[in-house]
Amino acid sequence: MNFKGNNILSVNQFDRDAIERVFNVAHQMLPYAKRQKRTTVLDGAILGNLFFEPSTRTRVSFGTAFNLLGGEVRETTGLSNSALAKGESLYDTARVLSGYSDIIAMRHPDSGSVAEFAEGSRIPVINGGDGANEHPTQALLDLYTIQKELLDHGSSIDGMHIAMIGDLKYGRTVHSLSKLLCLFKNICFTLISPKELAMPASIVDAIENAGHQCNITHQFEGSVDADICYQTRIQEERFPSQEEANQYRGKFRLNQQIYTKHFQSKTVIMHPLPRDSRAEANELDNDLNLNPNLAIFRQTDNGVLVRMALFALTLGVENIVTQFDREVLWHVNNQ
């Protein structure tokens, strides 16, 4: 995969070599993310951070990653605050905004919209999520987290068992992650969801065609002997109505009692966030916060590393980052 100057729109662009390259560069970014030192390798470069759908972590993570490489960030948030609300096409928006930036990160509520935007862009575009379709950078940071967490337990992605739980129909994070996992060997998938929110058949087919085991169930049953438990939020914004979404809220919650009953003591708990902590949903209970296997905040930290790596690779500076090192002059809390 040639990163320099190219778009990152789908996990389908990646093979194992490309994934390993991203992970190697991400690991090199750790001293900057932990503020042990700083770099100005992207001094003067501008990121157009275009988020036409609500986001906190992904939007800020992209901006933080670019800032940590020394670049500047210009943001647009919300469809109603953009020229798209006035009828401007994605193509025209792309032609204009790509003249103001060096690279663009974009999220949009409609599937395929980021790829459509990229057709009009004169600079690289990174997909920050397009509807229920894909979320490639989330999938990469999830995979990076899985690799690191399993390494701590003396195991690897090849041969692991992952349980995906919740809204697997609309959850773009599990779609993209499943596609990446198809590149690995001998993985067992356990997919737990309501029948109406089951993993799309196309993803299940891809898993099975790649030679992996796929177990589909609609409730917690017995011991789920998984290395990774990947919990998802009910994607209520993607349902035809709020009333329909409400039918499934709180149906697949995970708390310490359920975790102890169904999972191994070493099973890593992941979630793409935000977790819905409202009482009627509470899919990932706060009583798990002190569980050392809860990796959700390690995931978010890893997201900065992976996005720094993608920026460095796409803009072709991955090999010269250290040449622009500077001392950190302010107080830093590395915890």
Side-chain angles (χ1 to χ4, degrees), residues 175 179 182 199-209:
H175 300 167
K179 291 178 181 179
C182 285
M199 185 75 84
S202 61
I203 304 295
V204 175
D205 288 345
I207 292 170
E208 293 179 339
N209 290 338

Side-chain angles (χ1 to χ4, degrees), residues 103 111 154 162 212 217 260 266 286 330:
I103 191 168
S111 297
I162 183 170
H212 303 302
T217 182
T260 301
K266 67 175 184 178
N286 288 333
W330 57 90

Side-chain angles (χ1 to χ4, degrees), residues 232-283:
T232 64
R233 177 179 63 89
I234 298 300
Q235 305 283 308
E236 59 183 58
E237 66 272 20
R238 309 202 192 286
F239 281 77
S241 68
Q242 184 64 52
E243 291 73 22
E244 184 176 343
N246 289 341
Q247 296 178 40
Y248 304 103
R249 297 181 72 187
K251 291 292 179 66
F252 283 84
R253 63 179 57 191
L254 184 67
N255 56 31
Q256 186 60 52
Q257 181 181 3
I258 295 171
Y259 174 84
T260 301
K261 180 178 179 180
H262 293 287
F263 293 93
Q264 305 178 77
S265 60
K266 67 175 184 178
T267 298
V268 176
I269 305 166
M270 296 176 60
H271 191 296
L273 299 181
R275 56 174 166 172
D276 189 340
S277 296
R278 290 171 288 189
E280 64 271 24
N282 200 24
E283 75 249 358

Side-chain angles (χ1 to χ4, degrees), residues 6-42:
N6 289 317
N7 302 318
I8 297 174
L9 302 177
S10 170
V11 293
N12 295 328
Q13 297 172 244
F14 291 83
D15 57 18
R16 285 191 66 160
D17 287 342
I19 290 169
E20 191 63 31
R21 190 176 180 200
V22 172
F23 289 1
N24 286 339
V25 176
H27 183 70
Q28 295 169 24
M29 298 300 174
L30 190 59
Y32 309 108
K34 293 177 73 69
R35 314 302 197 272
Q36 294 168 349
K37 53 185 176 180
R38 62 192 182 98
T39 181
T40 58
V41 68
L42 290 185

Side-chain angles (χ1 to χ4, degrees), residues 71-263:
E72 299 181 14
V73 181
R74 299 291 182 270
E75 290 193 326
T76 290
T77 58
L79 278 170
S80 61
N81 297 322
S82 74
L84 294 172
K86 301 176 182 179
E88 183 173 65
S89 68
L90 285 170
Y91 179 88
D92 285 0
T93 302
R95 293 295 292 176
V96 172
L97 295 183
S98 59
Y100 300 159
S101 307
D102 297 286
I103 191 168
I104 286 173
M106 180 180 172
R107 171 175 286 189
H108 195 283
D110 297 335
S111 297
S113 54
V114 180
E116 181 182 347
F117 177 93
E119 291 179 1
S121 177
R122 294 173 275 175
I123 58 175
V125 176
I126 299 179
N127 185 356
D130 60 327
N133 182 34
E134 281 212 54
H135 198 345
T137 65
Q138 180 72 45
L140 287 166
L141 76 88
D142 286 341
L143 192 65
Y144 184 67
T145 301
I146 290 170
Q147 183 185 74
K148 291 180 70 175
E149 296 290 325
L150 292 181
L151 185 62
D152 288 343
H153 291 113
S155 56
S156 65
I157 297 173
D158 290 320
M160 77 165 183
H161 180 185
I162 183 170
M164 295 181 172
I165 304 167
D167 183 355
L168 307 185
K169 177 180 180 179
Y170 295 113
R172 60 192 172 198
T173 61
V174 290
H175 300 167
S176 292
L177 178 57
S178 295
K179 291 178 181 179
L180 285 184
L181 288 173
C182 285
L183 298 171
F184 292 78
K185 298 177 181 178
N186 302 320
I187 295 176
C188 177
F189 290 76
T190 295
L191 308 179
I192 307 172
S193 70
K195 291 181 180 179
E196 299 83 357
L197 300 181
M199 185 75 84
S202 61
I203 304 295
V204 175
D205 288 345
I207 292 170
E208 293 179 339
N209 290 338
H212 303 302
Q213 180 181 346
C214 191
N215 306 312
I216 300 174
T217 182
H218 305 299
Q219 59 185 350
F220 282 111
E221 295 178 324
S223 175
V224 184
D225 188 27
D227 300 291
I228 303 291
C229 168
Y230 193 103
Q231 179 84 9
T232 64
R233 177 179 63 89
I234 298 300
Q235 305 283 308
E236 59 183 58
E237 66 272 20
R238 309 202 192 286
F239 281 77
S241 68
Q242 184 64 52
E243 291 73 22
E244 184 176 343
N246 289 341
Q247 296 178 40
Y248 304 103
R249 297 181 72 187
K251 291 292 179 66
F252 283 84
R253 63 179 57 191
L254 184 67
N255 56 31
Q256 186 60 52
Q257 181 181 3
I258 295 171
Y259 174 84
T260 301
K261 180 178 179 180
H262 293 287
F263 293 93

Side-chain angles (χ1 to χ4, degrees), residues 39-55:
T39 181
T40 58
V41 68
L42 290 185
D43 183 32
I46 296 175
L47 165 67
N49 217 23
L50 313 181
F51 275 70
F52 300 115
E53 184 181 53
S55 172

